[in-house]
Amino acid sequence: MSGFGFKRKTTKLGKLFGIRARLALLALILVAPLMLERARSLEETRNKQIALAYSELSRVAQQSADSQREAISSVETVLKSAAHIQASRKASELDCETLQASLPVRLPWIRNLTIVGGDGRIKCATLDTLVGLDLSDRTYFKRARQARDLIFSDFLSSKYDHEPIVMAAYPVSAVNPESDLVIVAGVNLDWMSKIMNDLSDRRGIMAFLVDSAGTVLAAPADLARMVGRPLNSVPALTTAVTRAINPDQQSGLFSFPAQDGAKLTLNFSSIPGTQSRLILIVDEARVAAEINHDIRNAYLQLGFVCVIVLLGALVAAETLIIRPIHKLVAVARRFGEGEWSVRAANNRLPSEFAPLARAFDKMASQLSERERELIASNDRLTVMASMDMLSGLANRRGFQSRLDFEWAKARQCNGELSLLMIDVDHFKLFNDTYGHPEGDACLSRIGETLAGLAAATAGFAARNGGEEFSLLLPGTDTNRALEIGEMVRAAVQNLMIPHATSNHQAVTVSVGVAGVRPSEALNPSDLLEAADASLYVAKRNGRNAVAEHSLGQASENGSVALAS
């Protein structure tokens, strides 16, 4: 009982000393001892603000470094994508339209994209005037061909328009050793500098992106004059910059004296995939001077602010503080529960809370957009992970997911489900005779044929691996599946792909057909095994044939019967 009585007294005391009374009392406590405590409090404030300044600077620098890394990563992705596309073609085939389409508009830091031949001359480019330009003397071009990997150059002057530029090169031989082509991209240094603009106009702060030789590649707008100049040629920075570009160290932080005796701090970190470094130089004296000026201004305003706080707590605390806080808390709670469309600015908040509401709305909008982008990115990655790049069909993973889905759907609706297992006859002999590039071209043509038949029959085609394909036919009985199997066999034979080691003198396929009405006693693996068994029978009986097996039937030869 005594504990319960104590809680009741505490509750009443809390109501008595509500936020209005607490604000008024706090204002009085601040004003009374202000003169006695100002020296200590100002020093503490100074230290906190210096720490906050460094923390904010570190955060912005990290964001700039991350943005640089993302830009470099996007260049790498575009180059490797273009290399894979070119590697899938014959060495003599150059498709400039595909090259131009591979340069996204949303990557303005890529100035141009070119395909360079083994002789160093540009054969194809997103900018027609670059065709024929000789890059054979460029160091990055030689290194890329020798290393068979992505190479970024140091600071260069463009051979085309003499503008400052950084070049990135990726050899197609990294994908196809038989190719001597190199994919080359020009990186716009102006855009690299724009990424660093959050670091501009900060007193006592200098930020640079330098190459392996110490030449400035990018800088904020207030230091743009330094682009293209060796940073280690500045007398006060020579030793420090030389230490920062040491290839044995990827990142670091150290202090060194300036010419006037002031203490400078240098923070550097490497950009992965390149030899460039992001260098941040902080003049602590200038940073502290700005903070001291702010503290003096804050002290002059302190007395006036205390009076306003006291009056506001007594007169308008309910209207200007309590209700807006409750509204913002309610909006934050709804947003936290997943109501992405809720906005704080629609709640008629006082003007004092309007900036906070706008900041909250901006954050909510960005988080909502980021959520949509992540969902879209995950969807794209899921689709890519389920695709076979050679045939354009689904891969084994995509096929298994579709099979599980169609199986559950057929079982729920008591429908039928058929499966065609398709294997290219004597494909190893075909590869041995014509070579793997022709083998890949053969599989690609068969994949196109199966895609067309899948569209015509409401089926789902996939490449299971190697020379084996499958065609899933929802809502299709075994008899119809046999007809479609014969259509597949005939369509492939009609492609008339030469195959000298085959009895038919052309590429043919064997097709195993299995049909089932899914039930609790069966699972998708039973359908796969039945189709495999049918495919085995089709091959055993001479290939270029269609064989059938139905899980719901039984026959004398093990439930397997030849269809043709």
XYZ file of all heavy atoms in Angstrom, residues 334-430:
779
model
N 2.807 6.816 -37.197
C 2.129 6.289 -38.401
C 3.133 5.950 -39.492
O 3.010 4.932 -40.173
C 1.127 7.318 -38.913
C -0.076 7.527 -37.988
C -0.904 8.718 -38.426
N -1.438 8.523 -39.766
C -2.045 9.492 -40.464
N -2.165 10.708 -39.923
N -2.511 9.239 -41.663
N 4.155 6.818 -39.633
C 5.178 6.531 -40.643
C 5.961 5.270 -40.275
O 6.295 4.458 -41.132
C 6.120 7.720 -40.769
C 7.103 7.598 -41.895
C 6.722 7.843 -43.198
C 8.405 7.207 -41.651
C 7.615 7.721 -44.240
C 9.317 7.085 -42.684
C 8.914 7.345 -43.986
N 6.238 5.124 -38.960
C 6.951 3.931 -38.516
C 6.162 2.655 -38.709
O 6.726 1.567 -38.821
N 4.825 2.769 -38.738
C 3.980 1.596 -38.957
C 3.808 1.268 -40.423
O 3.053 0.360 -40.774
C 2.615 1.838 -38.310
C 2.676 1.902 -36.784
C 1.357 2.337 -36.170
O 0.444 2.738 -36.955
O 1.223 2.289 -34.931
N 4.485 2.023 -41.309
C 4.455 1.687 -42.731
C 3.511 2.528 -43.563
O 3.316 2.262 -44.750
N 2.930 3.571 -42.967
C 2.038 4.450 -43.724
C 2.894 5.512 -44.419
O 3.039 6.631 -43.942
C 1.018 5.093 -42.774
C -0.142 5.762 -43.492
C -1.199 6.252 -42.522
O -1.224 5.780 -41.366
O -2.018 7.104 -42.926
N 3.452 5.138 -45.577
C 4.465 5.959 -46.235
C 3.932 7.300 -46.741
O 4.691 8.241 -46.928
C 5.081 5.202 -47.408
C 5.716 3.919 -47.012
C 5.240 2.662 -47.203
C 6.965 3.750 -46.314
N 6.103 1.719 -46.693
C 7.164 2.363 -46.138
C 7.915 4.647 -45.828
C 8.286 1.855 -45.506
C 9.035 4.135 -45.197
C 9.210 2.758 -45.037
N 2.638 7.406 -46.950
C 2.100 8.635 -47.536
C 1.849 9.732 -46.507
O 1.540 10.858 -46.877
C 0.786 8.323 -48.276
O -0.178 7.795 -47.380
N 1.959 9.430 -45.221
C 1.665 10.428 -44.193
C 2.714 11.535 -44.242
O 3.896 11.285 -44.476
C 1.620 9.766 -42.802
C 2.969 9.229 -42.404
C 1.110 10.756 -41.759
N 2.273 12.770 -44.027
C 3.173 13.931 -44.051
C 2.881 14.831 -42.861
O 1.718 15.025 -42.471
C 3.019 14.711 -45.361
C 3.504 13.953 -46.590
C 5.000 13.732 -46.533
N 5.504 13.044 -47.706
C 5.662 11.733 -47.787
N 5.358 10.968 -46.742
N 6.143 11.182 -48.889
N 3.936 15.419 -42.307
C 3.783 16.262 -41.120
C 3.301 17.654 -41.471
O 2.627 18.317 -40.678
C 5.115 16.349 -40.376
N 3.635 18.152 -42.664
C 3.297 19.531 -43.023
C 1.803 19.738 -43.208
O 1.353 20.875 -43.322
C 4.028 19.922 -44.305
N 1.019 18.666 -43.277
C -0.429 18.783 -43.477
C -1.198 18.940 -42.176
O -2.427 18.908 -42.181
C -0.942 17.544 -44.223
C -0.299 17.395 -45.587
O 0.057 18.381 -46.209
N -0.148 16.159 -46.041
N -0.500 19.079 -41.031
C -1.158 19.100 -39.734
C -1.302 20.507 -39.149
O -1.538 20.652 -37.964
C -0.383 18.214 -38.748
C -0.551 16.745 -39.048
O -1.516 16.123 -38.616
N 0.382 16.180 -39.806
N -1.137 21.547 -39.961
C -1.300 22.929 -39.501
C -0.438 23.213 -38.277
O -0.910 23.678 -37.234
C -2.768 23.226 -39.188
C -3.672 23.123 -40.404
C -5.112 23.450 -40.041
N -5.986 23.337 -41.202
C -7.306 23.530 -41.169
N -7.889 23.851 -40.009
N -8.029 23.412 -42.258
N 0.821 22.911 -38.404
C 1.745 23.141 -37.296
C 2.134 24.611 -37.219
O 2.113 25.313 -38.228
C 2.999 22.288 -37.487
C 2.791 20.772 -37.463
C 4.082 20.073 -37.869
C 2.361 20.314 -36.079
N 2.520 25.086 -36.031
C 3.005 26.466 -35.917
C 4.250 26.660 -36.770
O 4.961 25.716 -37.112
C 3.322 26.605 -34.421
C 2.496 25.540 -33.763
C 2.420 24.415 -34.733
N 4.512 27.924 -37.078
C 5.636 28.228 -37.970
C 6.968 27.767 -37.381
O 7.901 27.453 -38.110
C 5.686 29.734 -38.249
O 5.816 30.463 -37.034
N 7.069 27.746 -36.009
C 8.327 27.305 -35.409
C 8.641 25.851 -35.741
O 9.805 25.449 -35.772
C 8.270 27.470 -33.873
C 8.237 28.901 -33.384
C 6.827 29.493 -33.419
O 5.894 28.761 -33.838
O 6.665 30.642 -33.030
N 7.606 25.059 -35.955
C 7.805 23.643 -36.254
C 7.793 23.346 -37.750
O 7.987 22.204 -38.151
C 6.704 22.802 -35.575
C 6.948 22.572 -34.113
C 6.630 23.546 -33.185
C 7.504 21.393 -33.663
C 6.844 23.350 -31.835
C 7.726 21.182 -32.318
C 7.399 22.150 -31.396
N 7.527 24.400 -38.551
C 7.449 24.175 -40.002
C 8.757 23.632 -40.581
O 8.737 22.696 -41.384
C 7.028 25.463 -40.704
N 9.942 24.185 -40.209
C 11.185 23.598 -40.749
C 11.363 22.136 -40.359
O 11.807 21.328 -41.168
C 12.280 24.473 -40.127
C 11.601 25.772 -39.817
C 10.209 25.405 -39.414
N 11.015 21.816 -39.083
C 11.123 20.425 -38.661
C 10.173 19.535 -39.444
O 10.525 18.423 -39.855
C 10.847 20.317 -37.159
C 10.902 18.908 -36.555
C 12.276 18.295 -36.760
C 10.541 18.954 -35.075
N 8.949 20.041 -39.663
C 7.969 19.266 -40.428
C 8.437 19.056 -41.863
O 8.305 17.957 -42.426
C 6.615 19.975 -40.414
N 8.985 20.144 -42.472
C 9.481 19.985 -43.840
C 10.659 19.008 -43.895
O 10.768 18.199 -44.820
C 9.897 21.355 -44.389
C 8.722 22.256 -44.722
C 9.165 23.433 -45.570
N 10.080 24.307 -44.843
C 9.695 25.354 -44.126
N 8.412 25.662 -44.048
N 10.587 26.112 -43.503
N 11.531 19.099 -42.887
C 12.656 18.160 -42.860
C 12.164 16.725 -42.692
O 12.672 15.795 -43.334
C 13.609 18.523 -41.720
N 11.152 16.546 -41.830
C 10.584 15.205 -41.647
C 9.943 14.717 -42.939
O 10.112 13.557 -43.333
C 9.544 15.238 -40.523
C 8.926 13.904 -40.240
C 9.508 13.028 -39.328
C 7.772 13.495 -40.892
C 8.938 11.799 -39.066
C 7.200 12.265 -40.641
C 7.785 11.416 -39.715
N 9.201 15.610 -43.614
C 8.553 15.217 -44.869
C 9.589 14.860 -45.930
O 9.405 13.909 -46.707
C 7.655 16.349 -45.376
C 6.420 16.527 -44.512
O 6.158 15.634 -43.690
O 5.725 17.543 -44.667
N 10.662 15.634 -45.965
C 11.720 15.326 -46.933
C 12.342 13.963 -46.634
O 12.583 13.159 -47.540
C 12.788 16.417 -46.890
C 13.890 16.220 -47.920
C 14.891 17.361 -47.876
C 15.994 17.156 -48.916
N 16.991 18.271 -48.869
N 12.593 13.712 -45.346
C 13.140 12.418 -44.965
C 12.179 11.290 -45.312
O 12.578 10.251 -45.846
C 13.433 12.404 -43.462
C 13.966 11.069 -42.947
S 13.929 10.962 -41.146
C 12.165 10.864 -40.862
N 10.863 11.517 -45.027
C 9.871 10.500 -45.335
C 9.805 10.229 -46.832
O 9.706 9.082 -47.270
C 8.495 10.936 -44.816
N 9.863 11.305 -47.621
C 9.831 11.138 -49.078
C 11.046 10.373 -49.572
O 10.945 9.488 -50.416
C 9.757 12.513 -49.750
O 9.775 12.390 -51.153
N 12.230 10.723 -49.019
C 13.451 10.034 -49.438
C 13.435 8.567 -49.032
O 13.838 7.693 -49.809
C 14.669 10.736 -48.838
C 14.934 12.114 -49.431
C 16.076 12.819 -48.727
O 16.485 12.436 -47.635
N 16.586 13.875 -49.349
N 12.963 8.300 -47.806
C 12.888 6.902 -47.364
C 11.905 6.109 -48.214
O 12.152 4.958 -48.563
C 12.479 6.839 -45.893
C 13.543 7.291 -44.883
C 12.962 7.286 -43.477
C 14.747 6.376 -44.954
N 10.761 6.750 -48.545
C 9.780 6.075 -49.389
C 10.350 5.786 -50.764
O 10.185 4.695 -51.322
C 8.521 6.939 -49.509
O 7.561 6.311 -50.326
N 11.061 6.803 -51.327
C 11.674 6.601 -52.642
C 12.757 5.528 -52.578
O 12.876 4.691 -53.480
C 12.277 7.922 -53.127
C 12.925 7.846 -54.499
C 11.948 7.533 -55.599
O 10.743 7.825 -55.421
O 12.373 6.989 -56.637
N 13.553 5.560 -51.478
C 14.596 4.549 -51.324
C 13.982 3.146 -51.220
O 14.524 2.181 -51.761
C 15.404 4.858 -50.065
C 16.638 3.998 -49.868
C 17.719 4.345 -50.867
N 18.085 5.741 -50.800
C 18.943 6.252 -49.932
N 19.541 5.473 -49.057
N 19.248 7.539 -49.960
N 12.836 3.055 -50.526
C 12.152 1.762 -50.415
C 11.717 1.256 -51.782
O 11.901 0.084 -52.118
C 10.934 1.912 -49.487
C 10.134 0.639 -49.272
C 10.821 -0.317 -48.315
O 11.821 0.085 -47.682
O 10.361 -1.459 -48.213
N 11.139 2.182 -52.589
C 10.719 1.772 -53.934
C 11.915 1.373 -54.788
O 11.855 0.398 -55.559
C 9.945 2.912 -54.604
C 8.555 3.141 -54.016
C 7.732 4.068 -54.898
N 8.269 5.417 -54.891
C 7.871 6.356 -54.042
N 6.959 6.087 -53.134
N 8.393 7.581 -54.095
N 13.012 2.127 -54.668
C 14.205 1.789 -55.448
C 14.761 0.427 -55.045
O 15.186 -0.356 -55.895
C 15.268 2.866 -55.257
C 14.915 4.196 -55.911
C 15.960 5.260 -55.608
O 16.888 4.962 -54.823
O 15.833 6.387 -56.142
N 14.771 0.156 -53.723
C 15.282 -1.133 -53.265
C 14.415 -2.279 -53.762
O 14.917 -3.335 -54.167
C 15.349 -1.154 -51.732
C 16.443 -0.303 -51.093
C 16.308 -0.319 -49.586
C 17.815 -0.810 -51.504
N 13.073 -2.059 -53.735
C 12.183 -3.102 -54.227
C 12.415 -3.335 -55.714
O 12.499 -4.479 -56.185
C 10.714 -2.711 -53.957
C 10.436 -2.725 -52.443
C 9.755 -3.654 -54.683
C 9.068 -2.206 -52.074
N 12.539 -2.216 -56.476
C 12.779 -2.355 -57.919
C 14.117 -3.027 -58.182
O 14.229 -3.889 -59.066
C 12.723 -0.991 -58.594
N 15.155 -2.653 -57.407
C 16.474 -3.270 -57.601
C 16.435 -4.754 -57.276
O 16.999 -5.579 -58.000
C 17.507 -2.578 -56.714
O 17.665 -1.238 -57.078
N 15.739 -5.104 -56.183
C 15.622 -6.514 -55.833
C 14.878 -7.295 -56.903
O 15.232 -8.441 -57.212
C 14.910 -6.664 -54.486
C 15.790 -6.250 -53.325
O 17.007 -6.268 -53.431
N 15.190 -5.852 -52.225
N 13.832 -6.655 -57.463
C 13.091 -7.334 -58.544
C 13.997 -7.569 -59.748
O 13.978 -8.655 -60.349
C 11.873 -6.488 -58.955
C 10.797 -6.473 -57.880
O 10.844 -7.351 -56.997
O 9.930 -5.590 -57.923
N 14.797 -6.532 -60.112
C 15.688 -6.699 -61.258
C 16.740 -7.775 -60.989
O 17.045 -8.596 -61.855
C 16.368 -5.370 -61.585
C 15.435 -4.335 -62.205
C 16.214 -3.184 -62.804
N 16.935 -2.433 -61.805
C 16.445 -1.390 -61.149
N 15.221 -0.960 -61.413
N 17.170 -0.742 -60.250
N 17.291 -7.776 -59.775
C 18.298 -8.781 -59.443
C 17.699 -10.180 -59.428
O 18.346 -11.146 -59.840
C 18.909 -8.460 -58.070
C 19.804 -7.225 -58.016
C 20.235 -6.949 -56.589
C 21.024 -7.407 -58.901
N 16.449 -10.277 -58.941
C 15.790 -11.581 -58.935
C 15.600 -12.099 -60.343
O 15.830 -13.282 -60.641
C 14.430 -11.478 -58.223
O 14.642 -11.030 -56.880
C 13.725 -12.820 -58.208
N 15.173 -11.188 -61.255
C 14.995 -11.601 -62.651
C 16.322 -12.007 -63.262
O 16.429 -13.042 -63.945
C 14.351 -10.451 -63.463
C 14.354 -10.788 -64.945
C 12.918 -10.219 -62.998
N 17.388 -11.201 -63.016
C 18.698 -11.529 -63.587
C 19.227 -12.852 -63.048
O 19.852 -13.625 -63.781
C 19.677 -10.398 -63.283
C 19.377 -9.108 -64.021
S 20.500 -7.780 -63.533
C 22.050 -8.464 -64.111
N 18.981 -13.119 -61.744
C 19.459 -14.358 -61.146
C 18.739 -15.576 -61.686
O 19.202 -16.699 -61.527
C 19.307 -14.301 -59.624
N 17.573 -15.365 -62.295
C 16.781 -16.472 -62.811
C 16.891 -16.595 -64.321
O 16.126 -17.352 -64.930
C 15.306 -16.288 -62.411
O 15.165 -16.207 -61.022
N 17.797 -15.847 -64.963
C 17.910 -15.864 -66.413
C 19.192 -16.553 -66.848
O 20.221 -16.458 -66.201
C 17.906 -14.431 -66.951
C 16.562 -13.736 -66.856
S 15.352 -14.399 -68.008
C 16.091 -13.917 -69.563
N 19.112 -17.260 -67.970
C 20.282 -17.820 -68.627
C 20.679 -16.854 -69.734
O 19.915 -16.648 -70.694
C 19.961 -19.208 -69.206
C 21.121 -19.768 -70.009
O 22.197 -19.951 -69.440
O 20.951 -19.986 -71.228
N 21.860 -16.247 -69.620
C 22.246 -15.179 -70.525
C 22.491 -15.668 -71.950
O 22.323 -14.909 -72.901
C 23.512 -14.488 -69.990
C 23.364 -13.898 -68.587
S 21.949 -12.780 -68.460
C 22.498 -11.456 -69.529
N 22.886 -16.931 -72.120
C 23.189 -17.436 -73.461
C 21.926 -17.635 -74.281
O 21.810 -17.157 -75.412
C 23.975 -18.751 -73.360
C 24.322 -19.424 -74.692
C 25.202 -18.516 -75.527
C 25.013 -20.767 -74.437
N 20.934 -18.331 -73.695
C 19.732 -18.668 -74.457
C 18.630 -17.633 -74.322
O 17.692 -17.619 -75.114
C 19.195 -20.029 -73.986
O 18.805 -19.954 -72.632
N 18.716 -16.783 -73.316
C 17.641 -15.821 -73.080
C 16.464 -16.422 -72.340
O 15.466 -15.748 -72.112
N 16.560 -17.686 -71.945
C 15.481 -18.352 -71.215
C 15.781 -18.318 -69.718
O 16.827 -17.846 -69.281
C 15.349 -19.806 -71.699
C 15.144 -20.010 -73.200
C 15.103 -21.498 -73.513
C 13.849 -19.339 -73.684
N 14.843 -18.859 -68.948
C 15.072 -18.989 -67.519
C 16.161 -20.033 -67.274
O 16.332 -20.957 -68.064
C 13.781 -19.387 -66.805
N 16.903 -19.872 -66.181
C 17.896 -20.883 -65.828
C 17.262 -21.915 -64.899
O 16.058 -21.903 -64.666
C 19.127 -20.225 -65.194
C 18.776 -19.428 -63.949
O 17.710 -19.609 -63.353
N 19.660 -18.540 -63.551
N 18.102 -22.811 -64.359
C 17.563 -23.887 -63.517
C 16.841 -23.324 -62.294
O 15.792 -23.840 -61.890
C 18.709 -24.804 -63.071
C 18.246 -26.008 -62.256
C 19.432 -26.844 -61.802
N 20.100 -27.469 -62.923
C 19.746 -28.624 -63.451
N 18.698 -29.271 -62.964
N 20.404 -29.132 -64.475
N 17.391 -22.265 -61.720
C 16.747 -21.682 -60.548
C 15.377 -21.113 -60.896
O 14.398 -21.328 -60.182
C 17.653 -20.584 -59.991
C 17.052 -19.808 -58.828
C 18.010 -18.735 -58.370
N 17.422 -17.915 -57.309
C 18.017 -16.882 -56.750
N 19.244 -16.552 -57.122
N 17.431 -16.165 -55.804
N 15.324 -20.363 -62.019
C 14.040 -19.805 -62.440
C 13.040 -20.886 -62.796
O 11.838 -20.773 -62.515
N 13.525 -21.952 -63.433
C 12.624 -23.057 -63.792
C 12.060 -23.725 -62.548
O 10.861 -24.027 -62.471
C 13.382 -24.077 -64.653
C 12.636 -25.377 -64.835
C 11.556 -25.457 -65.691
C 13.022 -26.508 -64.136
C 10.872 -26.653 -65.845
C 12.343 -27.696 -64.286
C 11.259 -27.777 -65.146
N 12.907 -23.968 -61.526
C 12.429 -24.636 -60.325
C 11.376 -23.798 -59.604
O 10.369 -24.332 -59.115
C 13.606 -24.912 -59.388
C 13.242 -25.749 -58.161
C 12.748 -27.138 -58.533
O 13.374 -27.838 -59.308
N 11.605 -27.520 -57.999
N 11.588 -22.481 -59.576
C 10.596 -21.603 -58.939
C 9.261 -21.665 -59.689
O 8.192 -21.745 -59.062
C 11.112 -20.163 -58.917
O 12.291 -20.061 -58.156
N 9.322 -21.635 -61.030
C 8.085 -21.683 -61.814
C 7.402 -23.038 -61.677
O 6.171 -23.119 -61.600
C 8.405 -21.383 -63.273
C 7.171 -21.259 -64.163
C 6.248 -20.128 -63.696
N 5.114 -19.969 -64.596
C 5.073 -19.110 -65.598
N 6.126 -18.292 -65.786
N 4.028 -19.007 -66.386
N 8.209 -24.110 -61.629
C 7.626 -25.447 -61.473
C 6.892 -25.559 -60.141
O 5.764 -26.072 -60.079
C 8.741 -26.498 -61.561
C 8.311 -27.948 -61.285
C 7.252 -28.400 -62.283
C 9.529 -28.881 -61.325
N 7.520 -25.061 -59.066
C 6.854 -25.118 -57.752
C 5.560 -24.316 -57.766
O 4.545 -24.749 -57.197
C 7.791 -24.566 -56.676
C 9.019 -25.450 -56.460
O 8.950 -26.639 -56.836
O 10.034 -24.955 -55.933
N 5.584 -23.148 -58.429
C 4.388 -22.312 -58.487
C 3.270 -23.005 -59.269
O 2.114 -23.076 -58.815
C 4.733 -20.969 -59.127
C 3.529 -20.122 -59.444
C 2.858 -19.429 -58.452
C 3.042 -20.034 -60.755
C 1.747 -18.659 -58.745
C 1.944 -19.280 -61.051
C 1.280 -18.577 -60.050
N 3.601 -23.507 -60.476
C 2.580 -24.150 -61.311
C 2.073 -25.436 -60.673
O 0.908 -25.802 -60.834
C 3.143 -24.432 -62.705
C 3.501 -23.180 -63.519
C 2.282 -22.337 -63.859
O 1.144 -22.829 -63.663
O 2.466 -21.186 -64.293
N 2.956 -26.139 -59.947
C 2.518 -27.361 -59.266
C 1.471 -27.032 -58.198
O 0.414 -27.669 -58.111
C 3.740 -28.039 -58.632
C 3.408 -29.349 -57.956
C 2.953 -29.543 -56.687
C 3.500 -30.655 -58.548
N 2.757 -30.862 -56.445
C 3.090 -31.583 -57.556
C 3.898 -31.115 -59.789
C 3.055 -32.954 -57.801
C 3.875 -32.489 -60.025
C 3.458 -33.399 -59.048
N 1.770 -26.010 -57.385
C 0.808 -25.619 -56.344
C -0.498 -25.114 -56.959
O -1.592 -25.405 -56.465
C 1.434 -24.534 -55.461
N -0.409 -24.383 -58.061
C -1.603 -23.866 -58.718
C -2.451 -25.001 -59.296
O -3.681 -25.013 -59.142
C -1.184 -22.901 -59.830
C -2.331 -22.276 -60.587
C -1.789 -21.321 -61.656
C -2.914 -20.732 -62.489
N -2.392 -19.852 -63.558
N -1.779 -25.980 -59.960
C -2.518 -27.100 -60.547
C -3.151 -27.955 -59.465
O -4.282 -28.454 -59.623
C -1.576 -27.931 -61.418
N -2.442 -28.139 -58.370
C -3.006 -28.938 -57.274
C -4.222 -28.247 -56.661
O -5.216 -28.888 -56.329
C -1.921 -29.153 -56.217
C -2.398 -30.002 -55.044
C -1.279 -30.250 -54.059
N -1.775 -30.950 -52.882
C -1.052 -31.217 -51.806
N 0.239 -30.865 -51.784
N -1.578 -31.845 -50.772
N -4.153 -26.930 -56.525
C -5.279 -26.193 -55.956
C -6.502 -26.235 -56.866
O -7.627 -26.325 -56.394
C -4.857 -24.743 -55.718
C -5.923 -23.897 -55.042
C -5.449 -22.467 -54.812
O -4.412 -22.072 -55.328
N -6.185 -21.705 -54.041
N -6.255 -26.177 -58.179
C -7.363 -26.154 -59.143
C -7.678 -27.537 -59.707
O -8.517 -27.654 -60.615
C -7.028 -25.206 -60.288
S -6.688 -23.518 -59.771
N -6.964 -28.568 -59.232
C -7.141 -29.922 -59.753
C -6.909 -29.949 -61.262
O -7.630 -30.614 -62.016
C -8.536 -30.467 -59.421
C -8.624 -31.977 -59.643
O -7.616 -32.686 -59.517
N -9.810 -32.466 -59.979
N -5.883 -29.218 -61.696
C -5.569 -29.156 -63.120
C -4.433 -30.093 -63.477
O -3.853 -30.784 -62.630
N -4.113 -30.127 -64.761
C -3.051 -30.988 -65.260
C -1.798 -30.155 -65.523
O -1.874 -28.958 -65.799
C -3.488 -31.698 -66.544
C -4.610 -32.713 -66.312
C -4.928 -33.490 -67.581
O -5.547 -32.905 -68.482
O -4.537 -34.668 -67.672
N -0.661 -30.847 -65.472
C 0.619 -30.196 -65.694
C 1.526 -31.148 -66.449
O 1.685 -32.310 -66.050
C 1.263 -29.823 -64.345
C 2.565 -29.027 -64.401
C 2.336 -27.670 -65.041
C 3.133 -28.854 -62.987
N 2.092 -30.663 -67.547
C 2.980 -31.493 -68.355
C 4.350 -30.831 -68.463
O 4.479 -29.616 -68.352
C 2.393 -31.704 -69.761
O 1.197 -32.466 -69.703
N 5.358 -31.678 -68.690
C 6.732 -31.201 -68.761
C 7.455 -31.873 -69.912
O 7.359 -33.090 -70.091
C 7.469 -31.492 -67.447
C 8.964 -31.177 -67.419
C 9.202 -29.692 -67.615
C 9.588 -31.656 -66.113
N 8.166 -31.070 -70.716
C 9.005 -31.575 -71.794
C 10.465 -31.382 -71.395
O 10.884 -30.264 -71.096
C 8.745 -30.820 -73.110
C 7.591 -31.303 -73.998
C 6.265 -31.258 -73.259
C 7.531 -30.457 -75.270
N 11.225 -32.479 -71.358
C 12.664 -32.413 -71.170
C 13.315 -32.579 -72.537
O 13.062 -33.570 -73.240
C 13.152 -33.508 -70.217
C 12.594 -33.350 -68.806
S 13.144 -31.838 -67.987
C 14.829 -32.271 -67.673
N 14.131 -31.619 -72.942
C 14.667 -31.546 -74.309
C 16.188 -31.569 -74.230
O 16.796 -30.776 -73.496
C 14.182 -30.255 -75.004
C 12.657 -30.190 -74.959
C 14.700 -30.178 -76.431
C 12.110 -28.788 -75.061
N 16.798 -32.477 -74.996
C 18.254 -32.602 -74.994
C 18.759 -32.588 -76.430
O 18.205 -33.268 -77.301
C 18.677 -33.895 -74.290
C 20.162 -33.922 -74.028
O 20.583 -33.367 -73.006
O 20.897 -34.502 -74.849
N 19.796 -31.778 -76.688
C 20.367 -31.688 -78.033
C 21.177 -32.961 -78.305
O 22.076 -33.324 -77.535
C 21.255 -30.443 -78.163
C 21.803 -30.340 -79.582
C 20.473 -29.195 -77.797
N 20.877 -33.630 -79.399
C 21.528 -34.897 -79.731
C 22.977 -34.671 -80.146
O 23.279 -33.784 -80.954
C 20.767 -35.599 -80.872
C 19.342 -35.943 -80.470
O 19.136 -36.228 -79.274
O 18.453 -35.920 -81.344
N 23.852 -35.525 -79.603
C 25.274 -35.538 -79.987
C 25.897 -34.147 -79.901
O 26.683 -33.753 -80.764
C 25.440 -36.094 -81.414
C 24.873 -37.479 -81.595
N 25.336 -38.582 -80.893
C 23.862 -37.919 -82.391
C 24.641 -39.656 -81.276
N 23.738 -39.285 -82.155
N 25.559 -33.399 -78.848
C 26.049 -32.023 -78.783
C 27.555 -31.968 -78.507
O 28.238 -31.056 -78.950
C 25.287 -31.236 -77.706
C 25.605 -29.776 -77.703
C 25.160 -28.957 -78.736
C 26.364 -29.213 -76.687
C 25.458 -27.606 -78.741
C 26.655 -27.866 -76.684
C 26.201 -27.069 -77.721
N 28.081 -32.932 -77.789
C 29.522 -32.954 -77.549
C 30.268 -33.098 -78.865
O 31.277 -32.432 -79.110
C 29.883 -34.092 -76.596
C 31.363 -34.113 -76.222
C 31.665 -35.233 -75.242
C 33.133 -35.179 -74.808
N 34.049 -35.258 -75.935
N 29.768 -33.969 -79.756
C 30.392 -34.119 -81.064
C 30.288 -32.819 -81.862
O 31.202 -32.461 -82.605
C 29.724 -35.272 -81.835
C 29.958 -36.678 -81.247
C 29.171 -37.707 -82.049
C 31.441 -37.017 -81.246
N 29.146 -32.131 -81.707
C 28.978 -30.854 -82.401
C 30.034 -29.850 -81.935
O 30.679 -29.177 -82.747
C 27.568 -30.310 -82.141
C 27.267 -29.028 -82.882
C 26.663 -29.051 -84.126
C 27.598 -27.789 -82.325
C 26.383 -27.865 -84.793
C 27.321 -26.610 -82.990
C 26.703 -26.661 -84.240
